Amino acid sequence: MSEKTTGQIDNVMHEDRLFPPSEEFSSKAVIGSMDQYQQLYDAAANDLEGFWDGIAREDLHWFEPYDTVLKQEGHNVEWFVGGKTNISYNCLDAHIVAGNGDRTAIIWEGEPGDQRTLTYTELHAEVCKFANGLKSLGVGVGDVVSIYMPMTPELAIAMLACVRIGAIHSVIFAGFSAEAIADRNNDANAKVQLTSDGLYRRGKVLPLKATVDEALEKSPTVEHVVVLKRVENEIAWTEGRDHWWHELVESVDADCPATPLDSEATSFILYTSGSTGKPKGIRHTTSGYNLWAKKTFQWVFDWRPDDVYWCTADCGWITGHSYIVYGPMSAGATCLMFEGAPNYPAEDRFWDLVEKYKVTIMYTAPTAIRAFIKWGDEHVEKHDLSSLRLLGTVGEGINPEAWMWYHEKIGGGKCPIVDTWWQTETGGLMMSPLPGATATKPGSCTKPLPGVFPTIVDESLQPVGENHGGMLCISRPWPGMLRGIWGDDERFFDVYWKTVPGSYLTGDNARIDEDGYYWIMGRIDDVINVSGHRLSTIEVESALVSHDAIAECAAVGRPHDLKGQAIAVFCSLKGVEPSEELRQELKLHVRKEIGALAVPDDIRFTDAIPKTRSGKIMRRLLRDVAAGRKAVGDTSTLEDFSVLAKLAEDDEG
Ligand code: 6R9
């Protein structure tokens, strides 16, 4: 498979297969034709405010109506100004009021195979109790609650409880290290930490509470810790600070009305990597975010009440926020939530789940699809996947071969695939096929959704022509857009708004083909995408240079069959000799500083890091070396870059 799935850019440049939706699919779809899409798109283009006004009135519950749809001052925007709503109300109470409280909200399966289902009424009750529990710890509007938990229903309950009372959640993926938690908690001023005694991962128990204990030594703003009992392991306990989840909810009132919140109230922050070492707390709002998550879910996943929808992401990432919790639950969908890994206890776990729960819509990542291809078709063929009617992907571009495999082996050749392009910052989907309307091309995210206005410009900020790559920007505001970087307005402006005046800079490169289809061509900054997770090269470098042996280092991405990109680092040493032990020690060090997801795949020792005359690391050269595009010697010895560096220097000079 390796030959087939590499060389993505080359492949997609020559991709001309077209897959129109079937008549059967279109006839039942929410948006069933390109004409209908175009009408919506034009309506938004001609009257952006009128377009969103109509949708917001219909789709959200308002405690108080807004007086202004959109207020814009430069890059600072406000949507639905003056209105009051509550995301948790829209996700829960609204369905109960409409008589749909008995509909299943969450079907959950844990890694060991334990199961639980919650109707909307039951979920509402759990959320109310936990919200009151949080209140009893003094949590109120604007307080930050840090969440470091396994993929249990309680993770969704915690998120919904926070937004119910106006607390701001900051979910930290449970694979991050104590250092990473402490950094994020300190940046956010977190007041309460939610965690569990542990987490099941491929049959082992990871001690989440112990990691939190270590993190809190360095993040003193946290006053209380709430611990969910999940694995029943031994944990350390700090009296007065630590509380069991089940005890906290025992004595509280069952009733907790949703707090009416300003449209622009911060609903959550979510840390993501940018081009510097310090992760950014991306700040999202209440009504604009809620509306975007709901509407994009309904349009793109063509949702119907009898669907069983499964997004395989973790709530630690934006995909889990918008498409496990807020989007589908605002719509009233039945969501499968899964705690475990795709290959535990065996490589057919996902297909077992699809068959068992009769999943109709599945949303996953290209990196997972590539792993399934590698594991072999026999794991798929064991199961009846005929319930599926729609497939989606997110996180990185999908290479056409993986797309074809997904289409044929998983979708039985009959399910449309929605390749959804978006970012933590955009809050929800931005470009994607509409499954009943858009003819898809493997590897293209096709067209912008109604209300999304992309442009592609070159370095002199001029729009590029057909099939020319350039910086992808969004020229008009959309309700779900980020409103800031937590505590850093200057960085917010510098990163997203300074380069192309008046437009949001996505950080991605893209091109438009002759049919007006968009093709994402990777990042323009120093962000690498490892298995669909964003990491900045500088973050990895900062972690490494904090080790005594490292004089200097540079991290770059290189192509990887399964992960999309792998992390390759070049290190020059101080006072020690290169060795295999040192390489292992450095890997452990990065794991400790950031987490397992940032551990470099290759560590190469070099005598010096090649730089330009102005002192910039020659990243392009290192990327070539890392990808094996230039001949290099044995990686276990010092690499001599002097010749390469000299050549490159001559090129530049
Ligand atoms: C939702 C999410 C965002 C970055 C984005 C881009 C890459 C995401 C993609 C895609 C090509 C797709 N990306 N979806 N590239 N095609 N369908 O992944 O958010 O973690 O913030 O990453 O991921 O480079 O800029 P986030």
Side-chain angles (χ1 to χ4, degrees):
M1 95 114 194
S2 63
E3 278 305 303
K4 282 198 199 148
T5 54
T6 50
Q8 184 178 326
I9 300 286
D10 286 350
N11 285 343
V12 294
M13 288 301 278
H14 302 120
E15 182 56 57
D16 52 12
R17 284 170 286 196
L18 199 65
F19 294 83
S22 69
E23 253 172 52
E24 205 228 325
F25 195 102
S26 298
S27 65
K28 295 184 197 148
V30 175
I31 297 174
S33 69
M34 279 317 264
D35 281 349
Q36 212 184 332
Y37 159 76
Q38 202 60 48
Q39 271 170 20
L40 283 171
Y41 197 83
D42 293 344
N46 296 333
D47 177 11
L48 190 65
E49 292 177 38
F51 180 76
W52 286 115
D53 185 24
I55 295 178
R57 275 170 205 274
E58 279 272 300
D59 274 272
L60 298 182
H61 163 83
W62 295 96
F63 292 103
E64 275 176 39
Y66 46 86
D67 46 55
T68 310
V69 177
L70 172 63
K71 199 168 126 196
Q72 192 174 3
E73 274 165 30
H75 65 286
N76 290 313
V77 300
E78 291 174 39
W79 283 91
F80 313 114
V81 190
K84 284 191 196 294
T85 185
N86 183 291
I87 301 180
S88 154
Y89 186 97
N90 292 315
C91 288
L92 303 168
D93 308 56
H95 307 310
I96 297 169
V97 170
N100 293 323
D102 290 340
R103 192 184 287 164
T104 302
I106 298 179
I107 305 172
W108 176 79
E109 188 167 305
E111 181 175 287
D114 40 344
Q115 299 169 3
R116 202 172 151 194
T117 46
L118 288 153
T119 64
Y120 275 96
T121 302
E122 289 163 345
L123 183 61
H124 174 264
E126 298 276 341
V127 169
C128 287
K129 271 192 283 171
F130 193 65
N132 280 333
L134 287 173
K135 278 188 189 167
S136 74
L137 298 176
V139 177
V141 176
D143 287 331
V144 175
V145 175
S146 169
I147 306 183
Y148 185 71
M149 288 177 66
M151 277 288 288
T152 50
E154 283 79 4
L155 174 46
I157 290 166
M159 292 164 71
L160 288 161
C162 286
V163 297
R164 191 162 189 87
I165 61 173
I168 299 167
H169 61 67
S170 162
V171 184
I172 302 172
F173 173 63
F176 278 110
S177 68
E179 289 288 332
I181 302 171
D183 286 349
R184 285 158 177 74
N185 283 355
N186 286 333
D187 188 75
N189 239 330
K191 186 168 175 177
V192 168
Q193 177 76 56
L194 313 183
T195 190
S196 68
D197 51 356
L199 159 80
Y200 292 115
R201 193 69 185 165
R202 293 195 178 89
K204 293 206 193 91
V205 165
L206 302 188
L208 291 198
K209 170 66 162 60
T211 307
V212 160
D213 287 338
E214 194 188 330
L216 297 196
E217 281 170 24
K218 294 185 184 164
S219 48
T221 60
V222 172
E223 296 163 17
H224 295 281
V225 179
V226 182
V227 188
L228 175 75
K229 192 172 264 187
R230 171 70 187 126
V231 301
E232 316 239 351
N233 61 344
E234 290 272 314
I235 55 171
W237 199 257
T238 304
E239 219 43 67
R241 186 198 72 175
D242 297 351
H243 313 264
W244 282 114
W245 180 297
H246 56 275
E247 287 176 6
L248 186 71
V249 296
E250 236 163 45
S251 52
V252 293
D253 209 87
D255 188 33
C256 176
T259 307
L261 295 167
D262 284 340
S263 275
E264 285 293 312
T266 302
S267 52
F268 66 84
I269 48 180
L270 182 59
Y271 284 85
T272 187
S273 296
S275 43
T276 71
K278 191 175 176 287
K280 311 174 271 200
I282 301 300
R283 188 169 73 77
H284 281 291
T285 57
T286 295
S287 48
Y289 168 79
N290 195 169
L291 192 65
W292 194 250
K294 178 176 181 181
K295 227 43 230 176
T296 53
F297 173 76
Q298 289 173 327
W299 283 337
V300 173
F301 294 103
D302 186 49
W303 175 75
R304 300 168 207 164
D306 56 355
D307 275 313
V308 177
Y309 161 85
W310 183 24
C311 168
T312 70
D314 188 287
C315 288
W317 311 111
I318 191 69
T319 304
H321 282 61
S322 302
Y323 298 103
I324 293 179
V325 183
Y326 297 123
M329 291 190 189
S330 305
T334 296
C335 307
L336 174 63
M337 188 175 179
F338 175 54
E339 182 187 36
N343 56 350
Y344 185 84
E347 282 84 356
D348 67 339
R349 186 71 189 266
F350 271 24
W351 318 121
D352 179 55
L353 289 163
V354 169
E355 180 173 5
K356 194 188 304 175
Y357 299 109
K358 299 203 168 28
V359 173
T360 60
I361 306 173
M362 180 172 180
Y363 189 31
T364 193
T367 184
I369 296 167
R370 289 191 298 263
F372 299 134
I373 298 175
K374 189 181 143 207
W375 294 335
D377 294 356
E378 64 272 22
H379 302 293
V380 178
E381 285 159 4
K382 267 192 244 168
H383 295 280
D384 175 7
L385 307 182
S386 60
S387 55
L388 289 168
R389 67 174 189 92
L390 175 61
L391 304 173
T393 70
V394 61
E396 59 181 307
I398 178 162
N399 37 308
E401 281 68 23
W403 195 101
M404 287 306 299
W405 184 89
Y406 197 32
H407 178 69
E408 283 163 13
K409 296 287 171 194
I410 306 305
K414 69 173 172 43
C415 304
I417 296 181
V418 289
D419 173 352
T420 62
W421 175 85
W422 60 295
Q423 310 176 294
T424 304
E425 292 87 340
T426 67
L429 314 179
M430 297 293 276
M431 291 204 264
S432 169
L434 294 166
T438 319
T440 51
K441 297 185 186 186
S444 167
C445 59
T446 73
K447 305 230 173 195
L449 296 179
V452 175
F453 303 95
T455 52
I456 300 180
V457 299
D458 62 20
E459 269 160 20
S460 53
L461 309 186
Q462 296 309 306
V464 297
E466 201 173 275
N467 282 321
H468 282 276
M471 297 183 280
L472 176 65
C473 304
I474 312 290
S475 63
R476 296 174 73 178
W478 66 101
M481 67 199 282
L482 80 166
R483 300 295 198 275
I485 293 177
W486 187 254
D488 201 342
D489 292 342
E490 203 178 316
R491 191 172 175 202
F492 177 53
F493 176 73
D494 287 351
V495 174
Y496 302 109
W497 306 100
K498 202 164 104 180
T499 314
V500 185
S503 280
Y504 165 78
L505 184 74
T506 66
D508 280 338
N509 253 315
R511 71 179 167 93
I512 313 180
D513 73 10
E514 54 289 355
D515 299 322
Y517 277 44
Y518 287 76
W519 300 77
I520 305 296
M521 298 163 69
R523 301 283 306 186
I524 53 177
D525 50 18
D526 292 326
V527 169
I528 31 189
N529 190 325
V530 182
S531 301
H533 301 145
R534 273 163 71 168
L535 279 169
S536 90
T537 50
I538 297 161
E539 221 173 327
V540 179
E541 289 161 9
S542 314
L544 277 166
V545 293
S546 70
H547 189 283
D548 286 345
I550 303 291
E552 208 180 9
C553 76
V556 294
R558 69 154 170 88
H560 186 281
D561 277 354
L562 293 180
K563 302 178 180 181
Q565 280 189 299
I567 307 168
V569 299
F570 297 84
C571 305
S572 65
L573 302 175
K574 48 183 185 202
V576 287
E577 289 300 312
S579 67
E580 191 50 38
E581 287 79 62
L582 179 60
R583 189 173 279 130
Q584 291 314 321
E585 190 180 315
L586 291 172
K587 287 188 177 184
L588 269 179
H589 184 70
V590 176
R591 178 184 290 261
K592 189 169 170 299
E593 290 290 309
I594 308 175
L597 74 171
V599 173
D601 293 79
D602 315 336
I603 295 184
R604 307 163 79 129
F605 299 117
T606 94
D607 53 352
I609 305 291
K611 298 209 181 124
T612 63
R613 280 188 197 149
S614 60
K616 285 208 178 83
I617 294 175
M618 292 168 151
R619 290 186 184 277
R620 197 182 319 150
L621 175 109
L622 291 177
R623 276 196 287 267
D624 283 344
V625 174
R629 287 191 284 264
K630 292 238 164 78
V632 278
D634 179 355
T635 53
S636 66
T637 58
L638 290 183
E639 283 180 48
D640 181 4
F641 276 121
S642 54
V643 179
L644 289 175
K646 178 85 180 57
L647 282 176
E649 217 174 87
D650 287 344
D651 278 345
E652 288 204 354

